[in-house]
Amino acid sequence: MNDLLPAQAARYRRLVECVSAVLARYGYSELRTPVLERTELFVRTIGEVTDIVEKEMYTFRDELNGESLTLRPEGTAACVRAAIEHNLLYGTPQRLWYEGPMFRHERPQKGRYRQFHQVGCEAIGFAGPDIDAEQIVLCARLWRELGLTDISLELNSLGDAATRAAHRGRLVAYLEQHRDLLDEDALRRLHTNPLRILDTKNPAMQQMVAGAPKLVDMLDAESAAHFDGLRARLADAGVAFTLNPRLVRGLDYYNRTVFEWVTTRLGAQGTICAGGRYDGLVEQLGGRAAPACGFAMGLERILALIEGSTALREAPLPAAYVVHQGDAAARFAVEVAEGLRDRGHAVVVHGGGGKFAAQMKRADASGARYALIVGESELAERKVSLKPLRIPGEQQLLAPDAVAALLDEQH
Ligand code: HAM
């Protein structure tokens, strides 16, 4: 779990602003849910035999009432819970997004943290492939706006529950035939979560896994039509993808479309954004059945990718830094600064006293465009001396209104 120091926090905030601006252009509204939920919510939705639930959740007993609570490891379950609880789904489908910290007790490494941050997006109440395509196209737009070029899209369809059950039977039979090649992890998953074995990183199993029966070859007619519809829309939008029959995702609620945006630039943690369809989840959580689709992106990974690029607008530097000497001047300095802030300008008033020369050094270091100097002679006239710090120019004695007019002009 990491602290975000001011420069990093500023980048984080600008990234979220950029993502939320794109989401707003597609009609998504923000939803904020608590970081804690009842443990049961995640166990039921993400799935009992998934890595997240088996070994990554921060779960504890609330001693005050004996409830088992969990720090959210992801946002989809809470989003659906909230939509049901507040009757958001009656009549109108919802396009929602959220942002914030998620918690997973994983082995930390570059791009993988125990507290990380996601922006997630959930469209609930939409059945057609048009919404899957909308979300993928939205992501592609975001990567363009962030100047990210070397990211590729992997796509698969998991079909419906019956397809997955049929596939599971054939897959287990196939894996049983190749039992001697399975590693410890795979043996453990053979009967609990065999689909995840397809996701293995073990080089010794790659060839065997490549020959395993593929879900995408067994799709039911409706899922196949849905997948065709999605692919046609991605072609319309000019979004390229790779069909990856081994893409299965680590959470149990998915059906039909699943996708991941990946990069080779972040080593092992190359998935920057992932999601898919979860048509059964709303009903499973007690709501009236509503098909849905969503995704979430890891903000730390995206920030690592755009490090050093100018894609994120820089934080505005202060317009002015006010230096002053003496008690009366200090109070006049605050009055001038407040007047400028009323008009929307960022103004830093020197704090902590010191000689003018030392204060001017701070003014320079702040990045401000101007120093405003309030000494005895300025105070006597209720004016300030304005000294340009970033552009050539003479120092001038000005009334506060004139300073405001000058800053307004440059705003
Ligand atoms: P997920 O694949 O578990 O999906 O996570 C989505 C993204 O969060 C990952 O692709 C990655 O960028 C980031 N991420 C996950 N774990 C970590 C970590 N420990 N450190 C840093 N980044 C991480 C979900 O969470 C689903 N709720 C997505 C979704 C929304 N599906 C439908 N709607």
Side-chain angles (χ1 to χ4, degrees), residues 97-110:
W97 70 272
Y98 50 85
E99 169 268 321
M102 307 291 161
F103 304 84
R104 296 183 194 176
H105 192 112
E106 298 193 82
R107 193 166 51 79
Q109 53 179 270
K110 189 174 168 5

Side-chain angles (χ1 to χ4, degrees), residues 110 148-154 242 260-272 301 304-305:
K110 189 174 168 5
L148 298 178
T149 45
D150 41 6
I151 295 178
S152 54
L153 173 65
E154 301 202 349
T242 309
E260 290 191 354
W261 290 95
V262 293
T263 172
T264 51
R265 273 173 51 206
L266 293 177
Q269 308 306 320
T271 306
I272 60 165
R301 293 182 189 178
L305 275 186

Side-chain angles (χ1 to χ4, degrees), residues 52 56 73-77 98 102-104 106 109 111-118 120-122 135 249-251 253-254 260-261 269-278 293-302:
I52 296 179
E56 294 172 1
E74 62 105 52
T76 308
Y98 50 85
M102 307 291 161
F103 304 84
R104 296 183 194 176
E106 298 193 82
Q109 53 179 270
R112 189 155 83 185
Y113 310 102
R114 290 181 174 175
Q115 174 175 329
F116 60 99
H117 296 78
Q118 286 184 341
C121 162
E122 316 290 352
Q135 293 186 342
R249 309 276 301 122
L251 304 95
Y253 47 64
Y254 293 108
E260 290 191 354
W261 290 95
Q269 308 306 320
T271 306
I272 60 165
C273 176
R277 219 164 233 292
Y278 50 94
C293 186
F295 65 83
M297 61 188 82
L299 298 181
E300 283 80 2
R301 293 182 189 178
I302 295 174

Side-chain angles (χ1 to χ4, degrees), residues 277-316:
R277 219 164 233 292
Y278 50 94
D279 294 329
L281 192 60
V282 177
E283 190 173 26
Q284 190 204 329
L285 286 180
R288 190 156 63 180
C293 186
F295 65 83
M297 61 188 82
L299 298 181
E300 283 80 2
R301 293 182 189 178
I302 295 174
L303 283 170
L305 275 186
I306 55 183
E307 202 163 80
S309 99
T310 51
L312 290 183
R313 203 170 31 81
E314 288 306 312

